[in-house]
Amino acid sequence: MDTTESSAVAEGVDALTLTNNAGDAKVDNVLNGVEATEYDGDGDGGDVVDPWNVASSNERGIDYDKLIKRFGSSKIDEELIARLEKIIGKPVHHFIRRGIFFSHRDFHAILTLKEQGKPFYLYTGRGPSSGSLHIGHLIPFYMAKWLQETFDVPLVIQLTDDEKSLWKDLKIEDAIKLAHENAKDIIAIGFDSEKTFIFNDLDFIGKCPAMYQNMIRIQKCVTFNQVKGIFGFGDSDIIGKISFPAVQAAPALSSTFPFIFTGKKPVHCLIPCAIDQDPYFRMTRDVAPRLGYPKCALLHSSFFPALQGAKSKMSASDQNSAVFLTDTPKQIKNKINKYAFSGGRTTVEEHRQLGGNTDVDVAFQLLKFFLEDDAKLEEVRVAYTKGELLTGELKKLAIEVVSPIVEEHQKARKALTDESLAKYFEIRPLKFTH
């Protein structure tokens, strides 16, 4: 934890407005014309992490410790977990316990707000590039749901159909349609409709002057050279891409939602997201204090590996790279059996003798993400590492865990009506403790 943050928290001061950690300092450099390649480029043995590309040359996948150092964020350590558990009076979510959410910015300050009885809200999102989510997309939403229920706070979910129209060259009408289809998958997770507002940019911005006004305020703070340095835009990129970061930044300012936050005092924002989205919010954290707002806090998740291995993340554009929420039990079984990268040995005899590698085995990663029983997970890890459990048996366990999750999700999605969908999109006050 940053020393400025430590002293601010110790004194009960609003640490979000004081903290300027290493990652923010690097953004300050970028915003003063320094290139972003020192912390955003291909600098860690072939790891590439940005909002549009995630890849590694290592079978174990991204080196997250190096990524923390490169991005200037803070590791979610045992001290932070202990403090969180003390405040909430229960164990943390297994995503945090197992290091799936591994990094943060200013989460200690959010916990201080909770201790002081001061409000904050959650913000996360989804770029709708396909008609169905895959199970990797569930991770930040599962965390947002747990945080919402644990802290009794409102949640805003942004569907960036404008972004996908620009990057994927989708027709605007098609992008809007995908956003509403993705919203059904998100709602099926079980968010409280009285505390959750979902919006897609291509519809909402025209209905909410406050968001467009904040976008303009943010755009006035960041130059063309600066946004090129942060995001790597080139001279031939369309101007829509260059202006888009302000759209994703605006929901981190509470005045973007005047129908939710009726008071004049800014409300703090906590964003659970995959770490590839961090460049947007490093920019946001630099701009916010200049506009009179606290810096948003973040919880970063690691990436769910593609079935083919941890060198890349699951992709919505490759049907065989992921288990999709529309897959049948037979499709799930076939995908995991056929495509899930194995950490086992080439022969049964060799596997029995040497054991398997759970760090690279995708079936085990499925269990790490979705099997909630810690004791059972450890039992499987030990058995596979010792060679007592074979790859086929491990894949069978993964199928048995994942299939019911997808099946239950499909039932919940099917039960949604047009009226219940519309309720989440309705511009309205949310119920929460102010």
Side-chain angles (χ1 to χ4, degrees):
M1 183 169 59
D2 177 89
T3 52
T4 308
E5 182 183 353
S6 299
S7 58
V9 170
E11 295 170 13
V13 180
D14 186 346
L16 283 179
T17 59
L18 299 179
T19 303
N20 186 21
N21 64 21
D24 295 325
K26 288 173 180 176
V27 169
D28 291 340
N29 288 337
V30 172
L31 292 173
N32 287 315
V34 179
E35 287 300 314
T37 50
E38 63 175 299
Y39 69 99
D40 247 349
D42 184 0
D44 293 331
D47 287 359
V48 175
V49 177
D50 63 38
W52 310 282
N53 303 285
V54 176
S56 175
S57 61
N58 192 316
E59 285 186 351
R60 292 173 182 259
I62 303 297
D63 187 325
Y64 291 107
D65 287 334
K66 287 185 178 179
L67 198 60
I68 286 172
K69 199 172 291 185
R70 197 169 91 207
F71 279 13
S73 59
S74 303
K75 189 178 179 67
I76 295 178
D77 56 19
E78 292 302 320
E79 178 191 350
L80 178 57
I81 292 173
R83 185 182 180 204
L84 174 56
E85 290 186 335
K86 183 179 179 182
I87 289 171
I88 65 177
K90 65 179 182 180
V92 296
H93 195 283
H94 70 272
F95 285 172
I96 296 175
R97 199 162 58 242
R98 296 175 188 170
I100 291 166
F101 273 81
F102 68 99
S103 166
H104 75 98
R105 294 187 188 277
D106 287 337
F107 190 55
H108 272 292
I110 291 292
L111 296 182
T112 298
L113 291 174
K114 177 64 178 175
E115 289 174 329
Q116 295 173 344
K118 294 180 179 178
F120 66 93
Y121 70 101
L122 300 169
Y123 158 41
T124 193
R126 158 78 182 141
S129 59
S130 63
S132 170
L133 304 189
H134 59 61
I135 56 172
H137 292 136
L138 295 175
I139 306 308
F141 293 112
Y142 277 180
M143 178 52 60
K145 183 173 184 287
W146 182 82
L147 290 166
Q148 182 185 57
E149 293 171 347
T150 299
F151 291 108
D152 185 25
V153 289
L155 165 66
V156 297
I157 298 174
Q158 180 185 42
L159 301 171
T160 54
D161 46 4
D162 49 346
E163 175 197 18
K164 293 308 175 184
S165 181
L166 294 166
W167 264 266
K168 300 288 186 180
D169 197 22
L170 287 171
K171 289 182 180 179
I172 285 178
E173 296 78 9
D174 293 338
I176 293 172
K177 185 177 179 181
L178 289 177
H180 283 84
E181 288 302 308
N182 282 192
K184 294 175 186 177
D185 275 330
I186 293 167
I187 292 166
I189 293 168
F191 291 104
D192 185 339
S193 62
E194 295 188 334
K195 299 176 184 176
T196 306
F197 174 60
I198 301 176
F199 64 99
N200 63 304
D201 292 336
L202 289 172
D203 284 329
F204 176 67
I205 294 171
K207 300 173 183 175
C208 184
M211 179 163 179
Y212 185 63
Q213 290 163 17
N214 276 343
M215 287 162 49
I216 296 299
R217 291 183 180 104
I218 293 164
Q219 288 169 353
K220 287 175 70 175
C221 291
V222 186
T223 69
F224 177 48
N225 278 340
Q226 290 162 356
V227 83
K228 282 201 301 182
I230 297 168
F231 296 99
F233 296 139
D235 292 341
S236 60
D237 276 311
I238 57 174
I239 59 173
K241 291 183 178 181
I242 295 156
S243 62
F244 173 76
V247 183
Q248 188 158 321
L253 308 183
S254 58
S255 63
T256 294
F257 309 101
F259 49 92
I260 299 174
F261 306 106
T262 54
K264 291 185 178 180
K265 189 174 181 181
V267 180
H268 292 76
C269 177
L270 171 62
I271 305 169
C273 63
I275 198 168
D276 59 342
Q277 298 302 300
D278 189 68
Y280 284 112
F281 302 115
R282 292 202 296 271
M283 183 195 79
T284 308
R285 284 166 59 85
D286 179 86
V287 169
R290 289 190 267 162
L291 298 176
Y293 292 87
K295 295 180 178 184
C296 54
L298 289 101
L299 290 173
H300 298 127
S301 75
S302 57
F303 305 111
F304 200 99
L307 289 176
Q308 289 79 3
K311 290 185 179 182
S312 62
K313 66 174 183 176
M314 286 188 169
S315 170
S317 58
D318 182 355
Q319 283 292 318
N320 291 325
S321 75
V323 172
F324 283 80
L325 298 178
T326 50
D327 285 345
T328 64
K330 184 177 179 181
Q331 286 174 316
I332 294 170
K333 181 179 179 180
N334 289 341
K335 280 185 178 182
I336 293 176
N337 280 331
K338 185 175 181 180
Y339 296 110
F341 187 84
S342 170
R345 305 293 174 171
T346 53
T347 66
V348 172
E349 291 76 17
E350 189 180 355
H351 185 87
R352 294 289 192 202
Q353 182 183 358
L354 301 174
N357 184 352
T358 55
D359 290 337
V360 302
D361 193 287
V362 170
F364 183 80
Q365 297 307 311
L366 284 164
L367 295 178
K368 182 180 176 182
F369 276 75
F370 295 108
L371 177 62
E372 294 186 22
D373 188 329
D374 286 344
K376 177 66 174 175
L377 183 69
E378 178 61 10
E379 180 185 312
V380 171
R381 187 194 68 80
V382 170
Y384 193 65
T385 303
K386 288 182 175 180
E388 296 168 357
L389 190 71
L390 298 175
T391 295
E393 295 168 328
L394 182 57
K395 287 185 175 184
K396 184 173 183 289
L397 284 172
I399 293 164
E400 289 171 353
V401 167
V402 171
S403 293
I405 292 172
V406 175
E407 188 176 352
E408 286 302 311
H409 187 94
Q410 290 171 355
K411 286 180 184 176
R413 192 186 195 280
K414 191 175 181 180
L416 281 174
T417 63
D418 291 340
E419 291 75 20
S420 58
L421 177 67
K423 186 172 183 180
Y424 286 87
F425 282 83
E426 181 185 346
I427 294 175
R428 68 203 189 283
L430 297 180
K431 291 186 179 179
F432 62 98
T433 306
H434 291 267

